Amino acid sequence: MTHYEKTKYQLKGEIKDICCRDEYCRITIEAPAICHVAKPGQFVMVKTSEEKSNDPLFRRPFSIHQVTGGLLIILFKIVGRGTSNLAKMKAGELLDVIGPLGKGFHVANEQRHYLVGGGMGIAPLHFLAETISRYNQESEIVALLGARTAKELDVFSQLNSLNYLQVALSTDDGTAGHHGLVIDLLERAVSERGPGVVYCCGPWPMMKAIALYCRDKKMTCQVSLETVMACGVGACLGCAVSGSDVIGDGYLHVCKDGPVFEAEKIWL
Ligand SMILES: Cc1cc2nc3c(=O)[nH]c(=O)nc-3n(C[C@H](O)[C@H](O)[C@H](O)COP(=O)(O)OP(=O)(O)OC[C@H]3O[C@@H](n4cnc5c(N)ncnc54)[C@H](O)[C@@H]3O)c2cc1C
Ligand code: FES
């Protein structure tokens, strides 16, 4: 195990379990050093090339879905070479992982928390919900989860079993929950329950719409951005996005400054 800084590790973790259904996979890796310091919203960079191959050359970023004891759980969708390789791995094999990386969610000291996720952007919300509930057992935690179709939500079904979490679903095609967008769920929840702090992760247009809605309602909103990443540690500058602040060069690096940002740092 390589010890980079006090908060970052590179290790070869044994795969304890891997299970894929259609193109969605759940992988459990023994990684106690990473689990010990991980915060919700942080991510890991995973070497997805086979043992003696460099293809793909760059590691792939994945959100930390859950930590349980020394076990790190990632949920991923097979979209290309890296994720296809990962899906072929077997329990007992070793996986090269660096993490935890980036800045995660700031758990606000508020009574009501809205966790808004779209598609695979739902992945970091499990760890976040657990953390909020641990900090404040009295807080109201509401998860609003959107996807194109019901099948995309199956991989997150464990969220329904968290007794401290109230879950509402939306799908674009109406196959589960509300037939429409996840922002409709947020608007409804805020009008019924009242304002709260919003944590959001999903496709960019969805996050922008949620961020602007929160701005209008004067609700705090944090967004977790996804970009292509080569290094994951601030060295290649490949993950730059333009922020709303024109001071300096105006760019933010998602891997180092984020992936979680206060929404107004991205959209004013
Ligand atoms: C901070 C962060 C956290 C992430 N967390 C997760 C996670 O928890 N679970 C997860 O499944 N993914 C997550 N991703 C996305 C994940 O990193 C990519 O899906 C992965 O790198 C794709 O690698 P690949 O080699 O399989 O695909 P590539 O060969 O790199 O790409 C294949 C094709 O898929 C497209 N593609 C790439 N990424 C995506 C994507 N996210 N969705 C749809 N199409 C894509 C590419 O444009 C290309 O056309 C995260 C990304 C970031 C930056
Ligand atoms: S991925 Fe290299 S600087 Fe962010």
Side-chain angles (χ1 to χ4, degrees):
M1 181 174 74
T2 308
H3 187 176
Y4 285 116
E5 294 164 17
K6 283 196 174 117
T7 53
K8 252 188 231 120
Y9 299 88
Q10 177 176 3
L11 52 81
K12 291 201 175 187
E14 183 182 334
I15 298 175
K16 298 308 241 180
D17 185 51
I18 177 160
C19 157
C20 295
R21 193 161 158 211
D22 300 322
E23 66 266 53
Y24 297 94
C25 301
R26 177 188 178 90
I27 184 165
T28 306
I29 309 143
E30 189 166 44
I34 293 177
C35 293
H36 189 60
V37 291
K39 296 193 173 62
Q42 289 188 296
F43 64 100
V44 291
M45 292 294 280
V46 177
K47 183 174 180 293
T48 59
S49 52
E50 286 159 21
E51 183 76 307
K52 289 186 180 125
S53 155
N54 275 331
D55 182 30
L57 182 59
F58 298 114
R59 290 167 181 270
R60 298 298 194 240
F62 298 98
S63 302
I64 298 174
H65 172 64
Q66 229 184 315
V67 297
T68 144
L71 299 178
L72 169 74
I73 301 176
I74 294 169
L75 298 186
F76 67 94
K77 180 176 179 185
I78 303 170
V79 294
R81 283 171 309 148
T83 45
S84 302
N85 285 352
L86 202 53
K88 287 182 203 135
M89 294 196 73
K90 302 266 180 297
E93 288 187 276
L94 297 180
L95 193 61
D96 193 326
V97 185
I98 299 177
L101 298 171
K103 295 191 172 68
F105 291 105
H106 166 68
V107 174
N109 187 19
E110 297 275 345
Q111 184 51 32
R112 187 173 299 110
H113 304 259
Y114 292 113
L115 281 49
V116 186
M120 288 313 291
I122 298 168
L125 300 184
H126 191 128
F127 188 16
L128 176 62
E130 279 182 344
T131 306
I132 297 170
S133 141
R134 202 172 329 115
Y135 280 159
N136 181 357
Q137 292 178 357
E138 303 304 314
S139 60
E140 184 182 343
I141 316 174
V142 182
L144 307 170
L145 313 178
R148 279 176 304 172
T149 188
K151 198 181 87 171
E152 294 180 358
L153 291 168
D154 286 350
V155 70
F156 302 108
S157 59
Q158 275 198 359
L159 284 167
N160 295 316
S161 63
L162 303 180
N163 58 8
Y164 50 80
L165 188 66
Q166 300 172 58
V167 180
L169 307 177
S170 72
T171 46
D172 295 353
D173 64 2
T175 47
H178 165 68
H179 188 173
L181 301 176
V182 74
I183 193 168
D184 305 337
L185 296 179
L186 179 63
E187 288 175 358
R188 193 189 302 161
V190 170
S191 72
E192 287 172 4
R193 297 165 183 271
V197 58
V198 173
Y199 311 81
C200 184
C201 187
W204 279 65
M206 175 203 119
M207 287 197 289
K208 182 172 182 184
I210 300 278
L212 298 183
Y213 168 77
C214 292
R215 180 196 64 189
D216 292 347
K217 291 282 176 188
K218 301 199 177 358
M219 298 196 303
T220 308
C221 177
Q222 298 170 46
V223 290
S224 180
L225 303 187
E226 213 183 274
T227 56
V228 172
M229 287 185 183
C231 73
V233 291
C236 72
L237 309 185
C239 62
V241 295
S242 59
S244 57
D245 190 352
V246 288
I247 298 166
D249 67 4
Y251 286 100
L252 296 165
H253 295 100
V254 173
C255 69
K256 205 166 168 227
D257 303 320
V260 178
F261 297 90
E262 289 160 22
E264 64 265 30
K265 290 253 163 62
I266 310 298
W267 299 289
L268 269 182

